[in-house]
Amino acid sequence: MYTRSEVERQIKTKKSWTGKQVAKVLLSNFYVSARTGKNIITNEEITYIQSHPRNSVEAQEIYSFSQLYISLMDIYNIIESYAAQANSSVALLSNSLKVHFRMLQFREHQLSTPLMITETQEKKYLKNYQEYLEGRVRRNFTKTETWLSFLMKRDTNFIENIDLIPKFSDKYPHSEKTAMIISQYKVSKIKDIGFAKRLSERLFAKGIMDPNMAMTNYQRVFGPAPLQYTAAIAKQYRYHNKEKALFHYGQNVLKEIYKLLYYHQKHFSFDEALKKALAKYPVNFPEGTPQPMPNDITKYDFLTKVIIPGYVKKGLWNWQTQELNDFLIDEYGEYLNSAKQDAIAEHPKLKVLFDAAKKPLDNLGNWGMLYNSGVEEYNPKPSKNSYEYGKWQGFPNDVKSRVRDYGYSVYHDAGAINNFKIFAESNDLVLNDLAQVKTNKAKRHRKQAYDQIRQYLIIYQAYVALIRGIKAWTGFKDADHLVNISNGYPTFLKEAEEYNDLIYSEFAGLRDVMKGDVKKRQKAIELLDVYIPLDPEEKIIPHSTNKALTEFLEETFQPGSPRNASMIINSVANGLKAGGGR
């Protein structure tokens, strides 16, 4: 693009002008004028260069390009006018959606407050809760632990953080002897590598992995996640605040999930949408890819990468019990005996149970026996104040999580049973508010808005194609910059993205709020479907080749040819044949 100083220099040095030189000056002026409101050439200077053609052929080109310049200014005004209408239409649609979204937010707020119930309901739910507790205690009494599973639950954190133990030794009820044995396992190799491989392959068919690096898909979005992972997100997606990198990344992934669920309600589960969304937003991070177990694996690595995750993920092993017992005693006998003594030192009554359990996979006792031996974690009678076994367990399934997280309150009033409908909460208000989209007035306004938006996209895409043709016709390489002169298009993109986000957010909210009422949720989604997400990337106009566009422009700007801005832009919008005609 020319600057003012370059135009002045050209006027001083050139005695005559070619059509392409004039085109470059005029198109540069069009670009700067549209962007800044200032000209880089005066009308007198334009008249001067137009009156000094190099020859008659160039005079013809100068005339054509000058007429193009005049038409472009009119076309620009048309584009901006359509942009203003389109942006107003997006605002109208967004405002309509926001009305329903505020109602949805009110309902979401309701669901994050204590549930209001009557005294009669409370009595019923507390009775249910008492029955639940009794059943839970019976089930807990039947749970058993082997010698090995007891130690794995007790020692996993100690083993995996063995290098930090000297700093936090007061937090772990283990002897220095046990810590020394575990440390020695870091350099000791497994002896029976054949059995170790068979065990590893049975537990992890695809190979062993570092449990600290092998995250689930949920962890990748919601956490918890290793610091290396969040650092990789911050670097790859350029989040300056590393502490909030996972949050911002998760927002983008969730947006994609809701988009997939919106477009494919009947085809995707949440897990499937999550998997696809993560494929769109991958993180370049050492994810703990499964690898075959090495022949020289250390006892420590086998313990932390096979045995411990084997218990965590696979439960108890029911495979070649005698051979597995022999393997554990032979490879880890020192640890098993030392850790056993640590446990007995902490809870002396455990000695009786350990004396009866001669092998690692032998049953140590049920929860009641372990609790009576002083191990509080195995209390078969859950506390009523505990998070997991709270009163919420006695409530109906559709409100359990709400009562668990926010509690409940009882309406104490003599007429509560008869008047409770006043306080009843439901999704009807959300559904009724959303139903306003079905009124004739709403339909008419919505259709008009979508029509205006589509017409703008047609005109804008025609303008982009026209610029491509101008570049081919004039040979002015910088003509590509003319695409970006519109002030309205960036605003439209921003507003369209916010509008789409609002649709996806409301859709996600409806799924969450109405998850317990399938019929109402489906009805709400059907109503929400009248709001169509905007796709600025959708190709609307027919494609025209550069040859067709060039021939069209040459024909249009011949002397005596009828032309106006609307005719030019509409011709391109409707598509041009290879020969340049319509």
Side-chain angles (χ1 to χ4, degrees), residues 409-423:
S409 59
V410 180
Y411 184 72
H412 299 285
D413 183 88
I417 298 175
N418 295 326
N419 300 327
F420 189 62
K421 287 183 179 179
I422 299 173
F423 307 99

Side-chain angles (χ1 to χ4, degrees), residues 91-107 429-437 502 506 528 531:
L92 184 148
L93 293 170
S94 294
N95 290 336
S96 177
L97 260 179
K98 286 175 183 176
V99 171
H100 312 308
F101 192 62
R102 282 193 288 269
M103 181 62 72
L104 185 65
Q105 287 179 310
F106 172 74
R107 179 64 179 134
L429 290 177
V430 174
L431 198 59
N432 292 340
D433 189 74
L434 190 57
Q436 298 303 309
V437 300
L502 192 59
E506 182 153 357
L528 183 59
Y531 291 99

Side-chain angles (χ1 to χ4, degrees), residues 150 347 367 370-381:
F150 176 83
H347 305 291
W367 277 33
L370 292 169
Y371 176 69
N372 290 334
S373 298
V375 189
E376 290 287 340
E377 299 92 312
Y378 290 92
N379 185 356
K381 297 180 179 180

Side-chain angles (χ1 to χ4, degrees), residues 147 151 332-342:
W147 170 4
L151 291 182
Y332 296 100
E334 288 182 294
Y335 156 70
L336 291 170
N337 286 313
S338 183
K340 176 178 74 173
Q341 295 305 320
D342 291 345

Side-chain angles (χ1 to χ4, degrees), residues 431-473:
L431 198 59
N432 292 340
D433 189 74
L434 190 57
Q436 298 303 309
V437 300
K438 296 180 68 175
T439 65
N440 290 332
K441 182 178 180 181
K443 290 178 182 178
R444 186 170 61 253
H445 287 173
R446 195 164 53 248
K447 182 181 184 305
Q448 184 180 12
Y450 282 120
D451 287 346
Q452 288 181 336
I453 291 169
R454 184 173 182 82
Q455 189 60 40
Y456 169 61
L457 289 174
I458 290 172
I459 294 298
Y460 183 77
Q461 289 182 19
Y463 172 73
V464 173
L466 179 64
I467 297 303
R468 178 161 47 84
I470 290 172
K471 179 181 178 182
W473 184 38

Side-chain angles (χ1 to χ4, degrees), residues 47 67 69 103 152 169 227 241 486 510:
T47 301
Q67 294 303 307
Y69 169 69
M103 181 62 72
M152 289 297 95
S169 56
L227 292 177
N241 189 331
S486 171
L510 287 174

Side-chain angles (χ1 to χ4, degrees), residues 91 143 209 394 523:
K143 290 184 176 180
M209 62 180 70
K523 180 64 176 177

Side-chain angles (χ1 to χ4, degrees), residues 155-278:
D155 296 354
T156 292
N157 196 44
F158 167 76
I159 292 170
E160 291 182 340
N161 294 281
I162 194 66
D163 293 333
L164 302 175
I165 296 308
K167 298 180 182 179
F168 307 103
S169 56
D170 57 324
K171 292 186 178 181
Y172 295 97
H174 298 82
S175 64
E176 290 185 11
K177 178 182 178 182
T178 305
M180 182 74 70
I181 292 170
I182 296 298
S183 296
Q184 288 174 347
Y185 282 166
K186 282 181 170 284
V187 294
S188 302
K189 310 295 183 185
I190 290 288
K191 291 178 288 186
D192 191 350
I193 196 68
F195 180 83
K197 280 195 170 185
R198 295 199 304 276
L199 178 60
S200 175
E201 290 168 0
R202 181 178 179 86
L203 292 171
F204 304 102
K206 295 182 179 180
I208 63 173
M209 62 180 70
D210 185 342
N212 292 324
M213 305 291 269
M215 297 187 294
T216 65
N217 283 341
Y218 284 98
Q219 281 179 279
R220 295 176 194 281
V221 179
F222 304 110
L227 292 177
Q228 304 100 303
Y229 181 69
T230 56
I233 290 175
K235 181 179 180 181
Q236 184 175 338
Y237 291 94
R238 298 181 181 179
Y239 295 125
H240 298 296
N241 189 331
K242 292 185 178 181
E243 293 181 359
K244 294 186 177 181
L246 182 62
F247 170 79
H248 293 305
Y249 171 77
Q251 291 297 302
N252 284 332
V253 175
L254 278 173
K255 188 188 299 182
E256 181 65 18
I257 289 171
Y258 294 140
K259 180 179 179 180
L260 290 168
L261 289 175
Y262 185 86
Y263 284 124
H264 307 281
Q265 298 163 24
K266 299 178 181 178
H267 307 295
F268 284 165
S269 66
F270 183 88
D271 289 342
E272 290 167 333
L274 172 60
K275 185 176 180 180
K276 286 185 175 292
L278 287 172

